Amino acid sequence: MILRYALPDGEEKRFKIEKEKITIGRGFKVDLTVADKLASRLHCSIESKNGVWHVHDLNSRNGTFLNGAKIKSAELVAGDRITIGGTDFVFERAAAKGTETVIRELKNEMDGGKGFKTMLIEIVGSGREEKGKKRRTDDLISS
């Protein structure tokens, strides 16, 4: 997941959440430091439990807001706006892999000895449709 936000000068930033739990605040012992006088040193945390993301206020002085409502703890979904002091963060899904990345990964698999047909079966499934009809993967492969 990603937090998108703007610095006081208007420059847009993106913070990639790479751990199960991060902390946000004005202090230096947090994962994401914000230059906002209204933010507490340790303001809030964002964490994932069983694939569900939550934001928790950490007894901040001015509160944590989710989509305009003051919260103590709340579930997050993509597109939610978290406000800390005067700073808004938009909670977003990480971008999907680009075409060049996918092609490079496929090439590496093939260089490692995996065949195109095997990779195609892994992507589209075993060739069995819902109602038990066998789908021919050969028809999907151009000669």
Side-chain angles (χ1 to χ4, degrees):
M1 299 302 286
I2 292 174
L3 288 175
R4 183 174 42 86
Y5 63 103
L7 296 176
D9 66 3
E11 179 186 353
E12 191 163 297
K13 291 286 197 175
R14 296 168 78 79
F15 180 85
K16 186 172 183 180
I17 301 173
E18 296 178 323
K19 302 189 305 184
E20 298 249 338
K21 181 178 181 178
I22 65 162
T23 53
I24 303 171
R26 187 173 36 87
F28 294 106
K29 294 183 179 182
V30 294
D31 298 295
L32 176 55
T33 302
V34 293
D36 189 318
K37 292 178 185 177
L38 297 174
S40 296
R41 284 188 288 272
L42 182 59
H43 198 99
C44 71
S45 67
I46 295 176
E47 68 180 320
S48 174
K49 285 188 180 177
N50 300 320
V52 179
W53 290 91
H54 291 85
V55 59
H56 307 283
D57 183 78
L58 300 175
N59 298 315
S60 65
R61 183 176 192 126
N62 294 309
T64 301
F65 294 80
L66 180 63
N67 300 321
K70 190 171 186 177
I71 56 99
K72 277 306 242 176
S73 184
E75 186 174 321
L76 290 169
V77 295
D80 277 346
R81 183 176 37 90
I82 303 162
T83 304
I84 297 169
T87 306
D88 287 332
F89 298 85
V90 179
F91 186 70
E92 300 177 337
R93 294 197 182 284
K97 292 179 185 179
T99 304
E100 289 180 17
T101 301
V102 172
I103 290 171
R104 184 176 58 250
E105 289 175 355
L106 288 172
K107 183 182 180 318
N108 290 341
E109 290 283 330
M110 291 177 82
D111 289 348
K114 191 177 279 188
F116 181 75
K117 185 174 180 179
T118 301
M119 288 188 292
L120 183 62
I121 290 170
E122 288 175 356
I123 293 167
V124 299
S126 66
R128 302 250 177 221
E129 302 219 321
E130 279 182 25
K131 297 181 181 178
K133 292 181 182 176
K134 185 166 175 21
R135 185 170 74 195
R136 292 180 40 95
T137 54
D138 292 345
D139 295 340
L140 301 174
I141 302 170
S142 44
S143 317

